Amino acid sequence: MMEKSYSERFQIFDENYPRILEEIAKAAEKAGRKPEEITLLAATKTVPLEVINHAIDQGLSCLGENRVQELLEKYDGLHKEHCDIQFIGQLQTNKVKYLLGKVSCIQSVGSVKLAKEISRLCLKENTSMKVLIEVNIGREESKGGVMPEALLETVDEIRQLPGIQIAGLMAIPPICENKAELCGYFSAMRQSYVDIAAKKIDNVRMDCLSMGMSSDFPEAIACGATMVRVGSSLFGKRDYPQH
Ligand SMILES: *Cc1c(COP(=O)(O)O)cnc(C)c1O
């Protein structure tokens, strides 16, 4: 496949961005919510730096990268002063050190082991990190995240680690046959989010419920998402297959 030129990619983004913002606003209003309650995070894996910066210049204010290596390659050139950068991919413990001071949040903390390493390095570097606890809401073997039945206990363990602030939950539900099944997963996430918030646990905030991607963000908003992570619907189909 021929690689698209930057100007083609800019144009794709310019067409998609207002449409996605409008779809987010519509989904919010339909659910009786305010559009401002929902943050659009652009999933920028495989998207070239120039295109991401164009997006930021058009007003994009939050992005998420999946791979540490790719984030580091782009990091210095990013128009960071206008955009919040988060990490949304699977993370190996030996790569945590590269993220400290670079991302505002690690959304994909699915184990106490990973959280402990984040905590250890934060202490060492005299810094802190916001995290979302990733929930394996479909209990899929292929996916990371905490099993739903272990969520409370895991939150309780992670919140006690110094240097870490739990800021919410994140999930990637399984591929579903229909919207009802999908909404079942999203609603279960929302319920956990509300239940944990109601407990008012020390050092646990439920500020962010990150769920919904290109194919299902309106449903996620209907079910209570406060952040949607959208990639291909903003930037076009990715050129390279990504694990
Ligand atoms: C790629 C990715 C997305 C966005 O996926 P699209 O289907 O392209 O919108 C969202 N979340 C995570 C964790 C991703 O890796």
Side-chain angles (χ1 to χ4, degrees):
M1 187 161 77
M2 272 274 287
E3 270 195 56
K4 289 198 249 348
S5 69
Y6 289 149
S7 68
E8 277 175 284
R9 286 170 172 276
F10 293 171
Q11 199 185 342
I12 291 170
F13 178 84
D14 291 349
E15 284 167 13
N16 288 331
Y17 184 46
R19 183 176 53 80
I20 297 291
L21 289 177
E22 197 178 306
E23 283 179 36
I24 289 172
K26 270 196 192 138
E29 274 155 19
K30 209 169 140 192
R33 308 175 60 200
K34 294 199 188 83
E36 313 88 80
E37 285 172 31
I38 292 127
T39 302
L40 169 63
L41 173 145
T44 48
K45 57 177 175 266
T46 78
V47 180
L49 176 64
E50 290 76 2
V51 179
I52 301 175
N53 279 338
H54 171 80
I56 295 171
D57 297 344
Q58 303 308 304
L60 183 75
S61 58
C62 182
L63 67 83
E65 280 285 344
N66 278 72
R67 289 176 57 243
V68 172
Q69 184 59 38
E70 191 177 336
L71 171 68
L72 294 180
E73 282 163 16
K74 294 172 181 172
Y75 186 77
D76 282 339
L78 277 171
H79 293 177
K80 294 183 277 290
E81 55 284 7
H82 302 297
C83 194
D84 180 35
I85 303 171
Q86 307 202 4
F87 190 79
I88 61 173
Q90 299 248 20
L91 180 58
Q92 292 166 296
T93 49
N94 63 347
K95 300 251 171 91
V96 171
K97 58 176 177 280
Y98 301 112
L99 295 181
L100 299 188
K102 294 203 170 63
V103 300
S104 69
C105 179
I106 299 175
Q107 291 208 1
S108 36
V109 174
S111 70
V112 174
K113 180 180 171 228
L114 176 59
K116 280 186 172 160
E117 181 61 5
I118 297 170
S119 170
R120 188 184 72 81
L121 288 168
C122 281
L123 277 187
K124 194 171 150 221
E125 306 287 328
N126 195 22
T127 182
S128 64
M129 182 60 77
K130 226 165 53 170
V131 304
L132 304 186
I133 306 302
E134 181 174 357
V135 184
N136 189 345
I137 192 63
R139 316 185 86 268
E140 294 172 283
E141 261 178 45
S142 60
K143 279 191 188 137
V146 180
M147 289 297 168
E149 64 275 15
L151 178 58
L152 251 187
E153 163 195 347
T154 307
V155 163
D156 195 52
E157 211 172 326
I158 292 177
R159 74 167 180 103
Q160 299 179 48
L161 299 170
I164 288 198
Q165 298 145 7
I166 297 180
L169 305 177
M170 181 267 217
I172 308 171
I175 294 169
C176 290
E177 305 249 311
N178 55 58
K179 305 260 177 206
E181 189 189 356
L182 179 65
C183 288
Y185 289 118
F186 285 146
S187 299
M189 283 299 300
R190 170 72 182 178
Q191 195 59 51
S192 295
Y193 179 79
V194 169
D195 289 347
I196 293 172
K199 289 184 194 298
K200 301 195 185 302
I201 310 167
D202 269 357
N203 201 30
V204 177
R205 304 184 57 136
M206 287 290 126
D207 293 337
C208 182
L209 179 56
S210 172
M211 58 186 193
M213 321 204 309
S214 288
S215 59
D216 57 13
F217 70 86
E219 288 80 11
I221 292 168
C223 297
T226 71
M227 174 180 278
V228 294
R229 307 178 310 269
V230 180
S232 47
S233 286
L234 277 174
F235 298 105
K237 241 177 79 202
R238 286 181 281 277
D239 282 348
Y240 307 99
Q242 188 84 359
H243 44 263

